[in-house]
Amino acid sequence: MRPTLTMQKKKPQMNDDLVKDCLSVLYNCCICTEGVTKSLAARDDFVLFLFTLMTNKKTFLQTATLIEDILGVKKDMIQLEGIPNLSGLVQSFDQQQLANFCRILSVTISEPDVRNDDKHTLLAKNAQQKRNASPSRAEVNQVTLLNIPGFIERLCKLATRKVSEATGASNFLQELEDWYTWLDNALVLDALMQMATEEAEHSSTGQQPLSSYESSMATSPLRHRLPQSMKIVHEIMYKVEVLYVLCVLLMGRQRNQVHKMLAEFRLIPGLNNLFDKLIWRKYTSSDHVVHGQNENCDCSPEISFKIQFLRLLQSFSDHHENKYLLLNSQELNELSAISLKANIPEVEALVNTDRSLVCDGKKGLLTRLLAVMKREPPDSSFRFWQARAVESFLRGATSYADQMFLLKRGLLEHILFCIIDSGCKSRDVLQSYFDLLGELMKFNIDAFKRFNKYVSTDDKFQTFMTQINSSLVDSNMLVRCIVLSLDRFESQTEDVKVVEVLSECCLLSYMARVENRLSFLFRLVNVINVQTLTQENVSCLNTSLVVLMLARRRGKLPFYLNTLREKEYAEKYPGCLLNNFHNLLRFWQRHYLNKDKDSTCLENSSCIPFDYWKETVSVLLGSDRTSLCAIASYIDEPFMDLDRDLLED
């Protein structure tokens, strides 16, 4: 940094090799000496200065490697807008540099601890939101990036560009498995690519190789094949970084702006064209572990790439009308035909889809995804991400045509096979399949008919119910779907088909028995309390509310509350369950009636107006002990615990 501190008007030019050596010394100090990285990270002026060195191609790799290490330990997130001429810097990068820059950017746009989001208690998250009302640094950085001209367009090009067609020897994939263990960083790979290229040039001019690395390359039988296999792993590693950045931006506050750009720059059709040749060109074992959501997952580039791709699809289709870009024109026509045949209006989002931006080729991306999903081994962690991606296509207001499109492709039977017959033990995979099954079957009489055809014996039905009952936190969304569907079907008794399925379907008959609904209700309220509520299990509270709202509509609320009271006494815990439920509902009011909370999800997924949710909670929390619909009426005086405010902690 010295040249910036001299009095001379004209700054002396530093020698590139000197800069490289300085960076190399600093990098090695960081690796070998504890505390060096932290003390460098504490100097904001130094960190920002490092970014200015990235304009020089010769020192780019060394600079990027050092920046990545420093940002990894930096206490406060760096503000991208503080980097001198960031826009010019990014525009000066070639595509390779931009991909490596994405690796650095991922640290600056992700919220800290984002990977454990589902596990954090809602009490803690709500308290934190109150403290941090203004946009976080990560959010400010996201806006800074979106304002760089051409940034998103270049990322879309990087994400969708093809690797050169020739793939060298057929067994290069096996080589990758041996190589990736020490090529864990795209930057290391870049350095190797550089060396491999130089080595090839030397050998072609008849000169002796210059280093022991090159000698081993020259005598190795892999020598001719390696550069091509490296190119593929290289491209995959670039794409992992790029997809991660796009995914974070898609989940941020600027979601609609990002969506518009990704559609315009044809990200989805581009990924569709890469699907068979690159993304899912072979089966990759994933060790039965559901890999975390963070970008630093220590799995192979192949696995990281597939997971990032599936996460991107999930973020892209979740509650957004652009989800129809995952289909091609023929498939969109098929959806229109399904609506026409069922005599229901087409979904507005489908009508509004710009046909010039959808997938091309014989199959759209969603259909390709279904095909590989069916071939995946039972406990493969990809199943979790695949199911999440397909489920997000169905989420939002229920669309009969979308469900039928997937039912016609055998998705229901595939899910049931996995839950009942495949011996799948992974809780994460089962949860994602339960959630998907719930979205696929909700309010759809044809789906219940198909269910009954597959679950044709008592044994199969018992296995299915055992899986549901083994963890209600995992299966409660499916329970909610069955309860809601049953309620709707019971009001459609003029329809012959509905009446027939209602009388024959084992699942609907099971849920129609009031004692079974009450058993679910009792357990749903029992598995959670205010202190342990998280994004993952709060659905149990909402499912229990759905059961009670439907009971209230039919004038049965007092009966349900009284049964819960009797159950408490039978279990020798008077007041315990109802006090807990009362506290949960008070938390519900604070959480969902907050002006920032989006209640449309609850309304869309249940088809119950949000006002009715609010009203039911108010009635249940009523303080009049003579009201038959107030929880307080069912807790005997000695066991009242309602004045203690658990929510103030």
Side-chain angles (χ1 to χ4, degrees):
M1 293 170 73
R2 278 282 165 215
T4 61
L5 306 177
T6 61
M7 299 300 286
Q8 295 169 330
K9 284 185 180 165
K10 192 177 175 214
K11 289 181 188 171
Q13 189 62 43
M14 269 186 87
N15 177 310
D16 289 341
D17 289 334
L18 182 58
V19 174
K20 262 189 185 176
D21 287 345
C22 289
L23 290 166
S24 185
V25 170
L26 284 171
Y27 179 66
N28 281 295
C29 289
C30 288
I31 288 174
C32 305
T33 316
E34 205 178 332
V36 173
T37 323
K38 276 188 178 161
S39 58
L40 287 175
R43 286 196 54 177
D44 283 345
D45 59 340
F46 174 68
V47 178
L48 293 175
F49 170 74
L50 277 181
F51 278 94
T52 64
L53 294 182
M54 294 182 98
T55 50
N56 186 342
K57 263 200 163 180
K58 290 179 182 167
T59 55
F60 177 87
L61 281 178
Q62 287 83 352
T63 312
T65 311
L66 185 59
I67 291 177
E68 196 185 329
D69 272 28
I70 287 174
L71 293 186
V73 299
K74 195 165 168 51
K75 271 193 182 149
D76 302 319
M77 190 177 284
I78 186 175
Q79 289 291 187
L80 290 177
E81 58 192 4
I83 297 170
N85 188 18
L86 175 68
S87 183
L89 178 68
V90 171
Q91 284 167 319
S92 76
F93 291 154
D94 61 25
Q95 288 294 73
Q96 183 170 322
Q97 290 172 314
L98 185 62
N100 277 320
F101 192 58
C102 281
R103 194 175 169 95
I104 291 168
L105 288 179
S106 61
V107 188
T108 68
I109 57 173
S110 313
E111 298 292 354
D113 283 330
V114 71
R115 63 202 76 152
N116 293 327
D117 218 28
D118 285 354
K119 305 288 184 277
H120 283 180
T121 69
L122 293 180
L123 273 181
K125 283 171 84 169
N126 287 355
Q128 192 175 358
Q129 273 169 350
K130 268 186 193 167
R131 287 196 299 272
N132 313 334
S134 56
S136 67
R137 284 195 160 192
E139 286 168 339
V140 173
N141 284 341
Q142 290 174 21
V143 175
T144 304
L145 285 182
L146 288 173
N147 289 337
I148 296 175
F151 178 70
I152 295 291
E153 183 174 8
R154 289 185 68 191
L155 288 195
C156 289
K157 280 187 177 149
L158 257 174
T160 58
R161 74 176 181 188
K162 293 184 168 75
V163 189
S164 56
E165 295 304 313
T167 53
S170 57
N171 65 343
F172 73 83
L173 292 166
Q174 185 50 51
E175 299 162 27
L176 296 190
E177 299 299 325
D178 306 332
W179 277 70
Y180 83 78
T181 46
W182 59 279
L183 302 185
D184 66 332
N185 182 323
L187 300 169
V188 177
L189 248 158
D190 270 340
L192 276 169
M193 286 290 281
Q194 228 166 3
M195 290 167 82
T197 312
E198 285 164 14
E199 180 265 339
E201 283 165 8
H202 282 297
S203 52
S204 66
T205 56
Q207 293 177 353
Q208 287 302 305
L210 299 180
S211 66
S212 58
Y213 165 79
E214 289 176 352
S215 314
S216 66
M217 284 278 289
T219 55
S220 157
L222 299 179
R223 192 178 162 282
H224 298 292
R225 310 201 305 265
L226 200 58
Q228 182 55 36
S229 55
M230 279 170 69
K231 275 178 202 156
I232 286 181
V233 92
H234 205 211
E235 189 61 29
I236 284 174
M237 291 173 95
Y238 281 163
K239 286 179 169 22
V240 170
E241 307 302 343
V242 172
L243 292 183
Y244 181 81
V245 169
L246 289 175
C247 208
V248 173
L249 294 174
L250 259 182
M251 297 192 295
R253 289 195 186 191
Q254 269 59 44
R255 183 175 189 220
N256 286 333
Q257 183 192 349
V258 177
H259 244 292
K260 207 172 161 196
M261 294 162 102
L262 297 186
E264 185 189 334
F265 301 131
R266 295 179 57 81
L267 174 72
I268 296 299
L271 290 174
N272 188 41
N273 294 335
L274 283 181
F275 191 85
D276 292 334
K277 283 205 176 82
L278 186 70
I279 302 174
W280 231 278
R281 69 186 189 285
K282 65 153 195 158
Y283 164 66
T284 317
S285 164
S286 63
D287 308 332
H288 311 300
V289 178
V290 172
H291 302 275
Q293 298 203 357
N294 67 334
E295 76 283 16
N296 300 319
C297 180
D298 58 354
C299 43
S300 79
E302 290 274 335
I303 291 175
S304 301
F305 184 37
K306 287 178 175 175
I307 291 172
Q308 282 308 340
F309 165 75
L310 293 168
R311 286 188 63 222
L312 182 88
L313 289 196
Q314 181 189 351
S315 316
F316 189 84
S317 7
D318 196 14
H319 291 93
H320 203 284
E321 55 186 31
N322 273 358
K323 68 181 187 177
Y324 290 111
L325 299 181
L326 295 178
L327 289 97
N328 67 17
S329 286
Q330 284 163 299
E331 291 165 346
L332 291 175
N333 293 341
E334 188 184 328
L335 283 181
S336 307
I338 292 169
S339 300
L340 189 67
K341 188 182 173 189
N343 201 18
I344 51 175
E346 278 186 79
V347 181
E348 197 181 333
L350 177 60
V351 179
N352 295 339
T353 298
D354 180 344
R355 297 286 180 120
S356 68
L357 301 176
V358 301
C359 291
D360 33 31
K362 287 182 184 160
K363 290 178 176 177
L365 206 42
L366 182 66
T367 317
R368 288 183 197 278
L369 178 58
L370 286 179
V372 296
M373 187 174 173
K374 289 182 185 175
R375 295 200 299 267
E376 209 61 50
D379 270 321
S380 159
S381 65
F382 292 132
R383 282 191 175 224
F384 169 82
W385 297 104
Q386 288 161 342
R388 282 276 174 263
V390 178
E391 184 215 342
S392 71
F393 179 80
L394 289 170
R395 283 173 76 176
T398 305
S399 157
Y400 174 79
D402 292 358
Q403 290 172 325
M404 291 310 296
F405 180 83
L406 295 170
L407 286 169
K408 284 165 77 173
R409 283 159 177 76
L411 181 60
L412 182 107
E413 290 77 8
H414 165 70
I415 298 171
L416 291 174
F417 170 79
C418 293
I419 294 174
I420 299 170
D421 300 313
S422 75
C424 175
K425 297 280 187 292
S426 160
R427 290 263 41 116
D428 291 299
V429 171
L430 283 170
Q431 181 186 8
S432 65
Y433 271 60
F434 284 136
D435 290 349
L436 175 53
L437 189 60
E439 291 294 341
L440 188 61
M441 293 180 70
K442 194 191 297 168
F443 305 132
N444 191 314
I445 199 74
D446 299 277
F448 279 89
K449 193 171 183 173
R450 278 176 176 249
F451 176 95
N452 214 44
K453 194 175 173 186
Y454 187 92
V455 185
S456 51
T457 64
D458 262 357
D459 278 355
K460 278 192 169 185
F461 184 66
Q462 287 313 319
T463 307
F464 182 75
M465 291 313 297
T466 303
Q467 290 279 44
I468 283 186
N469 287 321
S470 63
S471 174
L472 272 183
V473 172
D474 297 332
S475 62
N476 81 87
M477 295 298 284
L478 176 59
V479 171
R480 191 190 306 184
C481 140
I482 304 164
V483 170
L484 284 163
S485 302
L486 174 70
D487 186 73
R488 178 176 292 190
F489 297 152
E490 285 177 341
S491 67
Q492 296 173 332
T493 44
E494 71 291 341
D495 186 323
V496 180
K497 186 179 181 182
V498 171
V499 173
E500 182 194 332
V501 177
L502 265 176
S503 63
E504 289 175 2
C505 178
C506 52
L507 190 57
L508 291 170
S509 307
Y510 181 87
M511 202 56 89
R513 291 199 284 280
V514 71
E515 65 273 20
N516 290 333
R517 287 205 297 281
L518 282 161
S519 165
F520 277 124
L521 178 65
F522 183 75
R523 284 178 298 147
L524 284 166
V525 177
N526 235 345
V527 292
I528 44 175
N529 61 53
V530 173
Q531 272 75 20
T532 59
L533 271 185
T534 64
Q535 201 60 52
E536 198 177 11
N537 63 24
V538 70
S539 55
C540 292
L541 175 56
N542 288 323
T543 298
S544 60
L545 259 176
V546 165
V547 174
L548 290 174
M549 282 190 291
L550 299 180
R552 181 176 167 231
R553 269 187 188 167
R554 298 182 177 215
K556 296 274 175 64
L557 192 53
F559 170 73
Y560 276 64
L561 292 173
N562 192 50
T563 310
L564 287 179
R565 179 176 180 272
E566 287 171 3
K567 182 91 172 146
E568 280 184 335
Y569 271 86
E571 306 253 336
K572 310 247 180 320
Y573 285 117
C576 180
L577 183 97
L578 289 169
N579 277 315
N580 181 40
F581 192 42
H582 195 280
N583 281 323
L584 284 164
L585 291 179
R586 281 157 77 199
F587 174 83
W588 188 95
Q589 280 186 325
R590 292 192 186 186
H591 186 69
Y592 283 103
L593 304 187
N594 180 336
K595 63 182 185 310
D596 296 334
K597 280 286 172 292
D598 184 9
S599 56
T600 52
C601 287
L602 288 179
E603 191 165 290
N604 281 341
S605 70
S606 63
C607 288
I608 298 172
F610 190 62
D611 283 344
Y612 196 74
W613 286 78
K614 289 194 292 194
E615 207 179 285
T616 305
V617 172
S618 289
V619 166
L620 286 165
L621 290 179
S623 52
D624 177 6
R625 287 179 61 93
T626 59
S627 160
L628 292 178
C629 292
I631 291 172
S633 313
Y634 296 86
I635 306 174
D636 293 338
E637 198 68 54
F639 307 114
M640 284 288 277
D641 191 18
L642 302 184
D643 296 320
R644 233 163 38 90
D645 197 342
L646 293 168
L647 309 184
E648 293 301 339
D649 297 347

